[in-house]
Amino acid sequence: DTEVTQTPKHLVMGMTNKKSLKCEQHMGHRAMYWYKQKAKKPPELMFVYSYEKLSINESVPSRFSPECPNSSLLNLHLHALQPEDSALYLCASSQDLSGDGYTFGSGTRLTVV
Amino acid sequence: DQQVKQNSPSLSVQEGRISILNCDYTNSMFDYFLWYKKYPAEGPTFLISISSIKDKNEDGRFTVFLNKSAKHLSLHIVPSQPGDSAVYFCAASDRTSSGSARQLTFGSGTQLTVLP
């Protein structure tokens, strides 16, 4: 298995809703990431988990809450989002220190209404 | 301050000819560079990478060149095919502050259009 799987592929949520994005990999990668990509812009790093511990939080608002239940799973909990949070949310994983194997999922297209 | 720059937002090339996509970086801590291809509403697909200890890496029709002194890398696609039409992102990698993971910094992308 050489894939990063993200669910759901599309999500529409209201500003008062609570939802979660899920990401899964079975490549034995020990680092997992959340990126956010707006239209016609490059992906921007949000969070880094290394060995299931939060390593980096790029000043992301608290309405985004990451969780890493185990080495294969990464969640992003969403609460009280704003319309400007609408974007493609990408999960990635990598071997811990090697540059090899940095793999992205196909993303969750989030629309906040 | 953009640490990774792709100064050409778009490039059009005739089928069968060479496509050259360029990327410049400023952070000397970057030690690994990757090229990704991206279609709309999909995640980036890895194409090819190069470590800072090399100056060239080749994989089929794709070759990446790295000039460390100039902090410049380029992706060559030969021969170009219509199916290569997509947005190409250059990404540079360094270790996180904890040293236990790698983070990617992306350029703004170049839209490649290969004309039949």
Side-chain angles (χ1 to χ4, degrees):
Chain A
D1 188 352
T2 59
E3 289 188 348
V4 174
T5 303
Q6 288 188 245
T7 56
K9 294 202 179 301
H10 301 276
L11 178 64
V12 179
M13 61 185 290
M15 289 189 284
T16 59
N17 292 159
K18 285 186 182 181
K19 296 286 184 183
S20 296
L21 310 185
K22 297 185 184 303
C23 175
E24 190 168 1
Q25 58 86 17
H26 297 286
M27 295 179 279
H29 288 176
R30 301 312 301 267
M32 296 185 76
Y33 313 80
W34 281 114
Y35 285 81
K36 174 182 178 179
Q37 184 172 24
K38 303 281 277 184
K40 300 189 188 302
K41 298 284 188 183
E44 294 180 349
L45 184 67
M46 298 174 72
F47 300 105
V48 178
Y49 270 83
S50 177
Y51 291 88
E52 294 130 66
K53 289 187 175 9
L54 184 63
S55 174
I56 287 182
N57 176 342
E58 290 286 356
S59 302
V60 180
S62 60
R63 58 186 184 268
F64 295 91
S65 175
E67 178 198 17
C68 190
N70 60 56
S71 60
S72 299
L73 295 174
L74 184 65
N75 298 322
L76 185 62
H77 302 298
L78 314 172
H79 174 54
L81 295 195
Q82 304 295 313
E84 58 265 28
D85 295 321
S86 299
L88 182 67
Y89 288 84
L90 295 162
C91 174
S93 70
S94 72
Q95 297 171 15
D96 44 18
L97 292 179
S98 167
D100 289 337
Y102 210 112
T103 305
F104 282 84
S106 56
T108 294
R109 172 67 61 185
L110 174 68
T111 303
V112 181
V113 296
Chain B
D1 180 28
Q2 270 188 294
Q3 296 187 66
V4 180
K5 294 182 183 179
Q6 291 177 257
N7 291 320
S8 298
S10 63
L11 174 68
S12 291
V13 172
Q14 208 67 36
E15 181 179 5
R17 305 295 289 268
I18 183 171
S19 295
I20 301 176
L21 297 100
N22 294 303
C23 179
D24 297 292
Y25 64 96
T26 57
N27 187 345
S28 57
M29 297 301 292
F30 292 141
D31 60 357
Y32 201 84
F33 303 89
L34 307 92
W35 283 94
Y36 286 86
K37 177 179 178 180
K38 189 176 184 306
Y39 295 109
E42 292 185 8
T45 303
F46 171 74
L47 274 177
I48 193 169
S49 62
I50 187 166
S51 165
S52 60
I53 62 173
K54 295 184 176 180
D55 55 17
K56 178 182 175 181
N57 189 25
E58 195 170 352
D59 184 2
R61 296 186 297 115
F62 302 91
T63 303
V64 56
F65 295 92
L66 175 62
N67 182 333
K68 278 184 65 180
S69 60
K71 293 192 173 67
H72 176 83
L73 64 155
S74 61
L75 174 68
H76 292 211
I77 307 173
V78 182
S80 302
Q81 299 172 354
D84 296 329
S85 298
V87 177
Y88 288 78
F89 286 100
C90 164
S93 171
D94 60 342
R95 295 185 184 182
T96 61
S97 53
S98 68
S100 58
R102 283 194 163 269
Q103 56 191 357
L104 294 186
T105 302
F106 285 84
S108 52
T110 296
Q111 171 70 57
L112 174 66
T113 303
V114 180
L115 304 168

